[in-house]
Amino acid sequence: MKVFGIETSCDDTGVAIVNDQHTILSQALYTQREEHAQFQGVVPEIAARAHLNRLPDLCDKVLADAGLTLNDIDAFAATAGPGLIGGVMVGLVTGKTFAAMTGKPFIGINHLEAHILTPRLTFPELTFPFLVLLVSGGHTQIILAKAYRDYTLLGATRDDAAGEAFDKTAKLMGLGYPGGPALEVLARDVPDGAKAAADLGLPIPMLNAPHCDFSFSGLKTAMRNRMVKHGAATLPPAFAAQLASGLQYCIAQSLADRVRVALQHPECRKLNGIVVVGGVAANQTIRSALEDVATAHGTQLYAPPMSLCTDNGVMIAWAGVEAMRHGLIDTLDLAARPRWPVSELRRAV
């Protein structure tokens, strides 16, 4: 079974073909960094136009690379939300059009669920239930994945997401967009993040709090205050590296601490692993902190390859495979949704 996936929820245009044997037959991705760089953030209208311009060529490319035609595809899947509504509509209409042209099934994919399911593509042995840390530019959540389409939200951010804290701090430091990768590179010059955070007086948000929620606005403000106190219009390289290292350490420790608390939840006593997904999951310091938590609790951390952590067409195609296995397809009048919590997904029969 071959599923064609389209992802257009934010600023990455992703297309892929994946089969039910856990094989990526072809994939293509266009990241709109140049379009948004001057604005130091994603502009929804520009993102939607870029998706519209790039998507046709990407679709042609993945078909050619796989040696397939549209008629060889068994089902078409596209992100239906959550996301920037203009971009979501571009991909959704394209997927519906292909399905209508070929008479094949169409599946509207929840973008967050696609992230959750991605490790099941790369780790076929991963079975439900498992604990999910979903951490990206727009979302920071802890989710208990009990079964397919049976998800319980245990905790979420009360203000900024972890990715926002990275990006907004990077903007203040003049590092451009996206900020996370630039900060991670800069932090390598100061490998002792704990000392950097302590010397700067940076807080680890929500440390030891009894719940599973997150908050990164205070840490972001603390970073801004340290820069203002320094006073220089341009940060010296050594100080910038110290800031990046301290910020990265505090975010990693906060995420690890929240997962540690979640593991004490009564329904999390018997899990088949911990999953970390989303763009921020590509950060190696965060992965290392979570691996320590998993080891301490006698379980395994499952993290997709770095290339599958950020938004991509592969995760949408794989989510389509999972839906087809459960006989779940959608009608062509499915609406795009800017907001769509995974807890609202209908459960598989």
Side-chain angles (χ1 to χ4, degrees):
M1 180 172 59
K2 297 177 287 293
V3 177
F4 190 106
I6 301 173
E7 157 58 19
T8 56
S9 68
C10 191
D11 60 335
D12 289 318
T13 313
V15 183
I17 303 172
V18 174
N19 69 22
D20 58 354
Q21 300 302 305
H22 300 260
T23 303
I24 301 170
L25 301 179
S26 63
Q27 61 176 310
L29 181 71
Y30 178 74
T31 299
Q32 305 170 11
R33 293 188 179 183
E34 292 184 7
E35 285 87 342
H36 303 285
Q38 63 177 309
F39 306 103
Q40 298 189 20
V42 178
V43 180
E45 176 63 21
I46 293 175
R49 289 177 182 270
H51 289 310
L52 191 61
N53 291 334
R54 297 284 179 170
L55 190 55
D57 288 343
L58 294 180
C59 291
D60 289 342
K61 176 175 171 42
V62 296
L63 287 168
D65 289 349
L68 300 171
T69 68
L70 286 177
N71 287 320
D72 296 320
I73 303 300
D74 296 297
F76 294 89
T79 299
L84 302 177
I85 194 65
V88 170
M89 291 176 68
V90 171
L92 193 62
V93 169
T94 302
K96 289 178 179 179
T97 300
F98 288 160
M101 289 169 55
T102 59
K104 302 295 178 64
F106 170 75
I107 309 110
I109 302 298
N110 179 293
H111 176 85
L112 304 181
E113 185 186 36
H115 275 304
I116 291 170
L117 296 174
T118 298
R120 284 169 51 82
L121 165 65
T122 53
F123 301 97
E125 72 275 16
L126 177 61
T127 58
F128 297 101
F130 51 84
L131 188 69
V132 181
L133 173 63
L134 173 58
V135 54
S136 67
H139 303 276
T140 303
Q141 302 177 350
I142 295 180
I143 299 164
L144 174 59
K146 300 178 184 178
Y148 178 70
R149 295 207 170 173
D150 187 357
Y151 309 115
T152 299
L153 180 67
L154 300 181
T157 184
R158 297 181 176 183
D159 39 62
D160 291 344
E164 288 180 280
F166 276 125
D167 289 339
K168 291 179 180 178
T169 300
K171 183 176 181 179
L172 290 172
M173 295 173 66
L175 297 178
Y177 175 85
L183 285 167
E184 184 174 15
V185 171
L186 194 57
R188 292 171 188 165
D189 292 335
V190 181
D192 192 344
K195 184 177 186 303
D199 290 346
L200 292 166
L202 298 177
I204 298 175
M206 297 290 186
L207 185 64
N208 297 322
H211 51 72
C212 299
D213 285 346
F214 303 86
S215 173
F216 295 102
S217 62
L219 176 60
K220 183 186 67 177
T221 300
M223 288 289 291
R224 181 180 183 280
N225 290 341
R226 301 306 178 272
M227 285 181 258
V228 170
K229 185 177 180 180
H230 192 271
T234 302
L235 297 175
F239 183 56
Q242 183 187 31
L243 287 168
S245 181
L247 174 70
Q248 183 175 256
Y249 172 81
C250 289
I251 290 177
Q253 292 302 309
S254 179
L255 294 172
D257 183 68
R258 303 294 80 216
V259 170
R260 193 177 295 112
V261 171
L263 288 168
Q264 306 306 315
H265 190 279
E267 291 188 277
C268 295
R269 299 293 168 81
K270 294 183 179 180
L271 297 174
N272 292 322
I274 300 171
V275 161
V276 56
V277 292
V280 181
N283 183 287
Q284 191 57 55
T285 297
I286 290 174
R287 288 194 181 206
S288 295
L290 295 171
E291 285 172 356
D292 291 342
V293 174
T295 299
H297 283 79
T299 190
Q300 183 173 343
L301 178 70
Y302 292 92
M306 299 289 190
S307 62
L308 298 184
C309 287
T310 53
D311 296 347
N312 59 85
V314 172
M315 70 182 199
I316 304 303
W318 176 251
V321 169
E322 296 250 21
M324 288 290 287
R325 284 174 170 173
H326 289 82
L328 298 176
I329 61 175
D330 291 295
T331 57
L332 296 182
D333 60 354
L334 179 72
R337 299 180 61 172
R339 297 180 60 83
W340 191 8
V342 291
S343 58
E344 292 183 5
L345 285 168
R346 64 184 184 278
R347 298 182 183 183
V349 176

